[in-house]
Amino acid sequence: MKADVYREFLTPDDEEVYEAIGEWPDSDESGARVLTVQDNSGQSLIFSYDALARSVRIRWMNDRGIEMLDFFRESATRLSFTSGQSTKHISIDFHTGECMGTMEIQVTPHLSVRDRLLFQ
């Protein structure tokens, strides 16, 4: 059995996040960075990431504030934010000892989450 090698979680600085999606991250009580985005239909997504813990959390609320998804994952290795003419995305790469994958979050014009984690 191969030992799992520590992999750093590479995250952009706050200014890069703001330039890509137009929102400044806040900090929560544990020191994680937190972004809250809302789409055109009133749904909201709270995305938090902790570079030291190599973790991300996604909480998705519908337009009435009812939580629809609460997702937490560790072993994140890279976080990036991109924006096109009409869409803005968050991308997170993950790598555990046995699996690797990517989660794509579209924040505009509407929220969507795609996650793929596969055995190597």
Side-chain angles (χ1 to χ4, degrees):
M1 182 176 200
K2 195 161 84 175
D4 190 23
V5 177
Y6 177 80
R7 298 176 194 277
E8 185 179 7
F9 182 18
L10 304 173
T11 61
D13 64 32
D14 290 353
E15 190 171 315
E16 290 174 274
V17 174
Y18 178 78
E19 287 174 5
I21 65 168
E23 299 288 336
W24 288 100
D26 291 322
S27 286
D28 70 8
E29 62 280 348
S30 70
R33 307 305 290 152
V34 180
L35 281 167
T36 303
V37 294
Q38 193 167 31
D39 73 3
N40 297 336
S41 69
Q43 297 185 92
S44 60
L45 186 129
I46 301 166
F47 175 70
S48 58
Y49 55 100
D50 186 331
L52 293 176
R54 298 177 52 215
S55 64
V56 299
R57 183 178 184 195
I58 299 161
R59 295 178 58 218
W60 186 345
M61 269 66 84
N62 68 13
D63 58 344
R64 296 182 308 242
I66 297 169
E67 188 171 86
M68 305 301 289
L69 173 76
D70 187 348
F71 181 92
F72 178 82
R73 183 177 290 161
E74 295 178 322
S75 298
T77 57
R78 189 177 68 82
L79 171 66
S80 59
F81 295 81
T82 57
S83 61
Q85 286 198 317
S86 61
T87 61
K88 295 177 183 176
H89 290 89
I90 302 169
S91 178
I92 312 105
D93 293 336
F94 296 92
H95 191 285
T96 67
E98 302 169 349
C99 300
M100 60 189 307
T102 301
M103 178 183 297
E104 294 283 339
I105 304 167
Q106 179 176 298
V107 296
T108 61
H110 61 273
L111 297 173
S112 71
V113 178
R114 281 193 184 139
D115 181 46
R116 288 167 181 71
L117 189 63
L118 305 169
F119 285 109
Q120 297 187 80

